[in-house]
Structures are given as C-alpha cells and as structure tokens.
C-alpha cells in the first residue's frame, strides 16, 4: 500500500473522533480532541458518541450520520477498535488512526486481535495501533496528547520524523530542536499494521515541506520500500536518516549454515543503508552533527583524513587514537602544508598532525582563524577537529572558534572541554560544539556516515537458475562433493578431491598416489552430517602411508552418524594459505538475495573482523564497489570476486536454494580464490533442524 493517500492521513480536511468521553476530560480521546482544536486545526471536526454530547464540539451519534471523513481517530480500547475501524472502512473513510495498545505487542491474544484489525480495515490505510499519533506542523494538525508537542518550538523546518517508538521519537524531535533545525512532521507508527515507517518515508520525500526524513526503527519489515524511498530522495536531492535499534536476530536463528547464523537484520540493514545512500547513525548523539553537516553540505569520503588542532598534546593524541580506531585517518601533513601552517604563527609546540598549539595558546587566539582557513583549503584534509580546554579568563575569545568551524567548507567539530559555563552557553554555532573528547569523536563518526552516495537503485535482476543434483525426499542440504561440482560449473575454484566410496579405499589411495599428493585432508561426505568436525569426520595433514588406516576408521564412524545412502569419504591435498575467508549467500525473506564475506575457518560464527555484505538488489555501481572493497581487504587480484558473486547469484535464483556456505575459501599465490569446503541448503528448514 505504498500509494495510499497520505494527505487524508496527516493533512485531513475532516476528522471524526470516536471514543471521546464527555465526563472524562483527561481521557485520551477528549485530550486529543482538545489539543487538535487548540492547535489551530481548521477542518471539519466532530465527535462520535452514541448518547452524549461533547461540550464545545459538534457531536453525532454514529459515523454514518455524516459524510465519510478523511480521517477517523479511534480512541477506544483495543477490543472495541476492530468494530470502529470496520465501520470507518464501510462508510468510505479515507484513513484512520488507532491509538490503543494491547495488540501484537502483548502476545498471542494481541496477535489475534491485530489480525482482526487488519481484516477490518481492508484497503483503508491506518496508523497504529499502539501509537502516539502525529503532528503536522505545516498544516496545524496535532493528533496526539504528548505534552512535548505543546512546548515552545522552533518554526517548522525541513525535518520529518517517523518513529516506531513514540516516546523515543519525541526524544529525537527534541534533539532536532536542539540542533537548531525545526521539524515539520512527527509521526508515531506503533505496530505498523498497515502503514509502515518506510511507506511514510516514501510519501514524505515527495513533499515540498520535507528535505530530510528521520526514521527511528526497531524492525524493518519492508526493506524494498525503504530502498525505493531512498532512491527517490536521492533523485530529489534529499536525505533519509535512520537510527536503528534492536540487536541482530542471528543469535535466535537455528541455522543449517554459518551464513544464516551470522546474517542478522543489523548486518543486512547496514548493507542497505550503505548501498542506498541512507545515513545510519548509532544513537541520539549522532543527530546534531549529521544535521549540521546536511545544513552546510558537508560530505566526507569513507575514510576521511582528519586534521586535529589542540591546545593539549595529550588530548590531541587521544583524539587521534580514537578517530583512527573508528576508521578515519590522522596522517602527517606534507611539507608545503606544514609551511603554510607555520606562516600563520599559531603553532609553537608542533606542526605535525595533531597540531599542538602549546602553552602560550591564550595569546594566539587571533591566529586560529587563519590556520583554519589553511586547513580548509588543503586538499590533503577532509575534516577538522579543534580542541580547547578551559579558558576561564579569555572564554569570550575562545567561543567564536565554533563560528569559525561552522563557516568552513569542510566538516568541522569544536571540542571545548572544561569550558566556563557562561561562555560555553554563549556559543552561537552550537551544532558543531561538544564538551567531551568522546563527543567530538562521535560527531566525526556520525558525519562519516554522510559519505556521498553514487548511483542508488533497488533492482531485481533476471538471473538464470542452476541445475542441481537429485535431492532425495527429506534431504535439506547438498553435501560438499556435489556442492563443489555445482560451484565448478559456475566458474568458482574448488579444491581437487578423490572420492573413496565404500569398500574402494585401495583404488582411492592409488589415485592419490598418482596425483603425487603426500599429505592430505580426509573428510566425511554426507547430506545429513553438517558439522563434520564435531563428530570426528575431518582430519588434516594425513600422510599417504596412513590413508588406509584413517579411511577405515572414518568409514566406520560415518556409518554410525549418517544414513545417507550416497555417503562417502573425500581425500583432498593439503593447500598452504595465509588466510581463511568465509563466503556465504542466503535468500532473506525481507532483504532478498545477499552475499556475506568475512573471516572464515572453524570459528566463523565467533570470528572477529569486518563482514562485507552485498545485497544483490543493489545498483551495478554498489556491486562493483563491493567487489573492489573485498578484493582490497583480502589481497585478491582485481576481478577475482566477480565469478564468485555471479555464481552465488545464480544459485540463489534457483527456487529450492535458500543458503550457500563456502567455508573456507583461501587465497592462492596469484591472488585467486579456491573453495576448500561447501554446503548448499536446498529447502527452508524448521527452526529446530540444526539442534
């Protein structure tokens, strides 16, 4: 329902209020109606009550007593809301809002009631349930009882806030206000029965009074809609900011493959945000620096070169350490830049990066602006952090440094620690100001999320499926031998293997000898044995002279743990490598096909290190950037990853495949990749299947 009439929902010309209690002035319905009227609403407004009249308002006995309104506000208890929503839909109301809680958020009974609510609404869009309402400040429609909305506020500005949590959404609205940017819309979506945050974002980016859509998410139910909203925002020169809470659900997934176990919602959302130009921030402290950067068109590259200017050598060093840990670069300046800095006369203690102003900094404040101008024009600098501590006597001269920072063409942050309170409060450009080193680092990190987005698109490609080996009834995986054969046909390098079928160990050993292998890896191969290490079916470094013994032992063990009629043993050569890489792919029900590449080996699920995620619905530009990024990270030859991505994409286009696990792949001396193990999951499995 992405094409619903948002005007009827948030800018209604007529509103019917159901559930207003004349004898209970503090009830939700009565307070909402009063706030709406006092907030300047000029459309048709009336209450619906079967027996009583609401003082000061037109009152009718039934929704059917008036022409269908644009919006029906449902202010009754959960068990009554279903009938009201059904009646609203039957009379032709264009939209509704349901405030009541006690739906899906309380458990099974609430889930059942919520399903009834959705059925009652039919094709009528509605907001909620379990929501805090909305405020459309440009049209004077305040549909909420939240006291915050009654506070004195800045004039309506370009920010529209959409939140799955009404309370936290209001906190973020306050953060926006404190950043000096007014907001035009606040919308609490609650349980998102019908209208989701993504749907609202898609509609809001089209409005002239909206330049930034700020979303608080706990669960993203419709990634494709959010991607479409981001693509449209990009086309219009607007931005979408998302603060996402909720830990990855990876720990709660019983997965047949490592890929599914590590691909939680947070992992996939991060890829969506990066590929679609969505600004993703970590917490409320990211609001101010991001809005400051957007206001001034500040954009950084993904790994910005940061210049630090400080009146404390220790603080400068600490800032540098923290920023580097977050992915920024604090690099030595070139000699021409150092010379230009020295000519300003500011730096006495050191002209390296960080710049140490030294002990006589109070007498040098008039030279700060010329130095900042030099840094602002330096091609080797992407952002600037200025640090000062104290300033009790000359605080009036320190405070304007924030204005210098705010006027720069590059992202800048001013950290004023242990500042005199009266001077700190006097700073005009408060959106570039912070009082702590940690705050300064977080401000830079938040602005790093604003790296310029290239081409953005969400596109499903037509990809040819793959012919698979015969899968027996009840079989949920394709084991390594057949999985490796499938990968080879797709152009993916796979380690050579000799198959030792039952009773044919001697022939297998002879074949190994003919290949000249001296030390081998022996593995069990069965579709019903997923984690072979755990059951003693993997042995590494087996000399050829011990193969007969190991094969006999493995054959007995495989008979004990497997009932696969096609079970066998694999013998592979030992391959020297420097790094194990885990490569996986899965078909997520919400995000679609995705590829994950990161640390590999037996501890893949617990391994530390970055996991690179590609949503295969991303643009060609995002895909190329992903492949280049992974190749650089693992020292692969350019173009090496292309066949792997293309092959995995074809596998995921095969209807019966849901996951692929290639762990590990290893880098060859020429920068290529070889798969040492592979598993293909061919049917969606029951959550307890991996126990």
């Amino acid at each position: 329902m992405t094409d619903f009439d948002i005007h009827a929902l948030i800018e209604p010309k007529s509103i019917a209020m159901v559930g207003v209690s004349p004898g209970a002035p503090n009830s939700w319905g009565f307070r909402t109606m009063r706030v709406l009227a006092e907030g300047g609403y000029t459309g048709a407004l009336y209450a619906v009550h079967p027996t009583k009249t609401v003082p000061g308002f037109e009152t009718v006995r039934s929704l059917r007593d008036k022409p269908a309104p644009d919006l029906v506000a449902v202010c009754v208890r959960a068990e009554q809301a279903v009938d009201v929503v059904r009646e609203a839909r039957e009379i032709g109301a264009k939209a509704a809002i349901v405030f009541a809680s006690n739906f899906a958020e309380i458990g099974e009974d609430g889930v059942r009631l919520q399903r009834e609510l959705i059925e009652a609404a039919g094709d009528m869009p509605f907001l909620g349930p379990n929501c805090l309402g909305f405020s459309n400040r440009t049209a004077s429609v305040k549909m909420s009882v939240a006291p915050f909305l009654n506070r004195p506020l800045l004039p309506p500005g370009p920010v529209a806030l959409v939140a799955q949590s009404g309370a936290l959404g209001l906190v973020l609205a306050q953060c926006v206000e404190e950043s000096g940017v007014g907001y035009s819309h606040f919308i609490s979506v609650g349980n998102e029965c019908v209208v989701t945050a993504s749907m609202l974002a898609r509609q809001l980016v089209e409005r002239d009074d909206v330049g930034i859509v700020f979303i608080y998410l706990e669960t993203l139910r419709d990634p494709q809609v959010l991607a479409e909203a981001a693509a449209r925002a990009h086309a219009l020169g607007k931005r979408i900011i998302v603060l996402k809470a909720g830990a990855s659900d990876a720990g709660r997934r019983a997965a047949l493959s490592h890929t599914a176990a590590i691909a939680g919602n947070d992992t996939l959302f991060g890829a969506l945000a990066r590929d679609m130009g969505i600004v993703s921030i970590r917490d409320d402290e990211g609001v101010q620096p991001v809005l400051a950067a957007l206001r001034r068109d500040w954009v950084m590259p993904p790994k910005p070169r940061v210049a630090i200017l400080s009146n404390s050598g220790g603080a400068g060093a600490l800032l540098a350490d923290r920023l580097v840990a977050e992915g920024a670069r604090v690099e030595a300046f070139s000699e021409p830049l150092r010379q230009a800095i020295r000519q300003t006369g500011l730096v006495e203690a050191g002209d390296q990066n960080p710049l140490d102003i030294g002990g006589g900094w109070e007498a040098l404040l008039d030279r700060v602006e010329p130095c900042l101008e030099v840094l602002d024009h330096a091609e080797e600098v992407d952002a600037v952090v200025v640090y000062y501590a104290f300033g009790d006597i000359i605080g009036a001269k320190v405070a304007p440094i924030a204005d210098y920072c705010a006027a720069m063409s590059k992202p800048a942050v001013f950290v004023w620690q242990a500042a005199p309170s009266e001077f700190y409060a006097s700073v005009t450009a408060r959106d570039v100001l912070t009082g702590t080193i940690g705050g300064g680092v977080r401000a830079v990190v938040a602005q790093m999320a604003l790296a310029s987005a290239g081409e953005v698109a969400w596109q499903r490609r037509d990809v040819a499926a793959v012919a698979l080996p015969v899968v027996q009834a009840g079989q949920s995986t394709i084991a390594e031998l057949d999985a490796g054969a499938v990968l080879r046909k797709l152009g993916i390098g796979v380690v050579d293997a000799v198959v030792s079928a039952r009773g044919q160990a001697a022939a297998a050993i002879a074949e190994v000898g003919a290949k000249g292998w001296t030390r081998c890896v022996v593995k069990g191969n069965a579709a019903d044995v997923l984690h072979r290490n755990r059951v003693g079916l993997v042995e590494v470094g087996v000399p050829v002279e011990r193969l007969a013994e190991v094969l006999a032992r493995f054959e007995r063990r495989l008979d004990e743990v497997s009932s696969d009629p096609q079970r066998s043993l694999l013998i592979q050569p030992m391959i020297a490598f420097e790094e194990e890489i885990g490569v996986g792919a899965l078909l997520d029900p919400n995000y679609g096909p995705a590829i994950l590449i990161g640390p590999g080996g037996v501890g893949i699920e617990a391994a530390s290190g970055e996991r690179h995620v590609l949503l295969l619905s991303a643009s060609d530009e995002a895909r190329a950037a992903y492949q280049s990024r992974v190749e650089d990270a693992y020292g692969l030859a350019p173009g090496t990853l292309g066949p792997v991505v293309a092959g995995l994409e074809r596998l995921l286009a095969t209807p019966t495949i849901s996951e692929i696990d290639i762990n590990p792949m290893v880098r060859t001396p020429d920068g290529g990749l070889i798969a040492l193990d592979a598993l293909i999951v061919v049917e969606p499995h029951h959550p307890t299947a991996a126990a």
Side-chain angles (χ1 to χ4, degrees):
M1 192 182 286
T2 55
D3 59 348
F4 66 93
D5 185 356
I6 192 174
H7 295 89
L9 182 62
I10 68 170
E11 200 168 334
K13 302 301 182 185
S14 55
I15 301 175
M17 303 284 298
V18 181
V20 181
S21 302
N26 289 323
S27 66
W28 190 285
F30 198 96
R31 289 165 58 199
T32 301
M33 194 166 191
R34 179 67 64 187
V35 167
L36 185 63
E38 293 177 353
Y41 180 67
T42 58
L45 175 63
Y46 57 91
V48 178
H49 197 284
T51 60
K52 298 180 181 179
T53 299
V54 178
F57 295 97
E58 180 184 2
T59 308
V60 298
R61 301 303 170 216
S62 166
L63 278 173
R64 301 180 186 277
D65 292 346
K66 297 276 284 187
D70 282 352
L71 178 66
V72 174
V74 183
C75 305
V76 299
R77 293 190 299 272
E79 57 270 20
Q80 298 172 307
V82 173
D83 289 338
V84 175
V85 167
R86 182 179 294 109
E87 185 176 12
R89 188 251 304 163
E90 289 173 350
I91 68 169
K94 294 179 181 178
I97 177 171
V98 180
F99 292 103
S101 55
N102 293 328
F103 284 93
E105 75 278 3
I106 67 167
E108 206 46 52
D109 289 343
V111 169
R112 173 189 53 77
L113 193 60
Q114 186 160 302
R115 282 198 296 265
E116 293 178 9
L117 187 66
I118 295 171
E119 292 171 2
D123 59 358
M124 178 186 70
F126 72 89
L127 201 61
N130 188 32
C131 73
L132 202 56
F134 68 88
S135 176
N136 177 349
R137 298 183 62 211
T138 58
S140 299
V141 186
K142 187 184 296 184
M143 182 64 72
S144 179
V145 297
F148 170 82
L149 299 175
N150 294 322
R151 293 181 183 179
L153 300 171
L154 294 172
V159 178
L161 288 134
V162 182
Q164 288 178 341
S165 165
L168 189 56
L170 291 173
V171 169
L172 295 175
Q174 177 66 25
C175 293
V176 171
E177 285 279 310
E178 291 173 351
S179 299
V181 182
Y183 69 91
S184 55
H185 299 272
F186 165 81
I187 307 174
S188 165
V189 295
N191 291 7
E192 294 186 320
C193 265
V194 174
V195 176
T196 68
S198 300
M199 293 177 187
L200 286 168
R202 178 63 187 89
Q203 295 269 3
L204 288 166
V205 296
E206 301 289 347
R207 294 180 62 94
D208 293 338
D209 58 351
V210 173
I212 299 167
V213 180
F214 197 141
I215 309 173
Y216 169 73
L217 287 176
E218 292 171 358
T219 300
L220 178 55
R221 297 176 173 86
D222 46 5
Q224 180 170 350
V225 178
L226 183 60
E228 291 169 355
R232 183 59 179 157
H234 183 267
L236 295 171
K238 302 181 180 183
R239 297 303 290 263
I240 292 178
I241 304 172
V242 174
L243 169 59
K244 188 176 184 301
S248 163
D249 64 355
R252 297 189 294 274
R253 296 178 67 176
L256 293 182
S257 76
H258 298 298
T259 302
I262 62 177
N265 279 337
D266 285 357
T267 305
L268 298 176
F269 174 76
L272 177 71
R274 180 198 64 229
D275 294 341
M276 298 304 302
I278 297 170
V279 182
S280 180
I281 63 173
R282 300 178 181 181
D283 53 36
D284 58 326
E285 291 190 345
V287 175
Q288 178 172 302
V290 163
L291 291 179
L294 288 175
R295 180 190 299 180
R296 297 175 174 87
D297 293 325
W298 284 344
V299 173
M300 293 193 216
K303 294 184 177 180
R305 298 162 297 179
V306 181
I308 300 172
L309 187 155
S310 171
N311 74 341
S312 163
L318 185 56
L319 279 164
D321 290 344
R322 290 283 310 279
L323 288 169
V324 169
E326 293 288 352
R329 293 176 288 169
V330 181
E331 301 174 342
F333 295 141
S334 65
E335 180 54 36
L337 178 55
R338 292 173 63 192
Q339 182 177 353
I341 291 169
R342 287 195 294 268
Q343 289 176 351
T344 67
L346 174 65
V347 177
E348 291 187 343
D351 57 2
Q352 297 290 346
N353 190 18
L355 294 166
D356 187 356
I357 300 173
W361 64 270
E362 295 95 336
L364 303 174
L365 289 171
D366 61 331
R367 303 175 190 179
V368 173
E369 185 174 4
C371 184
L372 291 179
E373 289 177 355
V374 168
L375 295 174
D376 200 17
H377 290 91
E379 292 186 2
E380 62 194 79
V381 173
D382 299 311
V384 177
V385 176
V386 180
Y387 175 94
Y388 274 84
F390 305 108
D392 295 70
I393 299 175
I394 41 82
K397 293 184 178 180
V398 177
I401 295 175
D403 293 323
Y404 300 159
C405 291
M408 294 178 69
S409 64
K410 294 175 180 175
V413 176
F414 180 42
V415 181
W416 194 2
Q417 197 160 31
S421 58
E422 66 275 19
F423 294 119
Y424 190 93
S426 71
V427 171
T428 302
R430 298 189 62 82
D431 56 351
V432 301
L433 175 68
T434 180
T436 66
I437 290 174
V441 172
R442 285 189 291 273
V444 174
V445 170
Q447 292 181 3
M448 286 168 63
L450 281 167
S452 181
E455 175 195 352
V456 298
W458 179 278
Q459 51 193 17
R460 294 297 176 94
R461 295 171 171 83
D462 291 328
V463 180
V466 176
L468 297 178
V470 174
V471 177
Q472 304 299 319
Q475 182 178 337
S476 59
T477 64
I478 297 174
E480 180 181 355
L481 179 61
D482 287 338
V486 171
L487 296 180
R488 284 191 191 92
K489 289 180 180 178
L490 293 170
I492 298 174
V494 179
V495 65
D496 194 6
V498 170
V499 182
S500 177
R502 173 176 295 279
Q504 298 183 14
I509 293 171
E511 187 177 348
V512 168
K515 290 178 176 289
W517 301 346
T518 58
R519 297 177 68 82
C520 304
V521 178
V522 180
K523 304 175 183 176
N525 180 74
D528 55 357
V529 180
L530 305 181
H531 305 293
R532 293 169 292 184
N533 269 306
R534 300 177 187 175
V535 294
L537 282 173
V538 176
E539 189 163 335
V540 178
V542 180
V544 171
E545 55 268 23
R546 286 190 55 232
L547 274 178
E549 168 214 331
V550 173
L551 290 173
R553 174 162 44 88
F554 270 37
E555 192 169 288
R556 292 192 299 271
R557 181 57 176 156
L558 191 58
D559 288 344
E560 294 172 355
V561 299
S562 172
S563 59
D564 181 0
Q566 304 299 320
R567 61 186 181 273
S568 61
L569 301 176
L570 301 181
I571 308 169
Q572 298 168 340
M574 288 287 293
I575 293 181
F577 59 86
E578 296 179 356
E579 190 168 18
E580 294 178 306
I581 305 170
V583 179
L586 81 163
L587 189 62
D588 185 88
N590 291 323
Y591 287 85
I595 293 174
L596 295 86
I597 298 178
V602 294
I604 183 172
E605 292 179 31
S608 60
E610 182 178 4
R611 290 189 171 98
H612 304 269
V613 182
L614 172 67
L615 300 180
L616 288 169
S617 50
S619 67
D620 293 338
E621 183 178 78
R623 180 181 298 219
Y626 172 84
Q627 294 178 185
S628 177
R629 187 164 59 248
V630 175
E631 288 168 353
D632 288 346
Y634 288 102
L636 303 175
T640 296
L641 202 60
V644 177
V645 171
L648 292 176
E649 185 172 31
R650 286 193 61 191
L651 281 170
L652 290 177
T654 304
T656 56
I657 292 179
S658 60
E659 299 164 21
I660 304 105
D661 210 34
I662 311 175
N663 178 46
M665 294 193 90
V666 296
R667 183 180 66 240
T668 60
D670 60 356
L673 282 172
I674 292 181
L676 301 189
D677 199 351
L679 176 74
I680 296 174
V681 180
V682 290
E683 292 290 348
H685 56 282
H686 190 276
T688 60

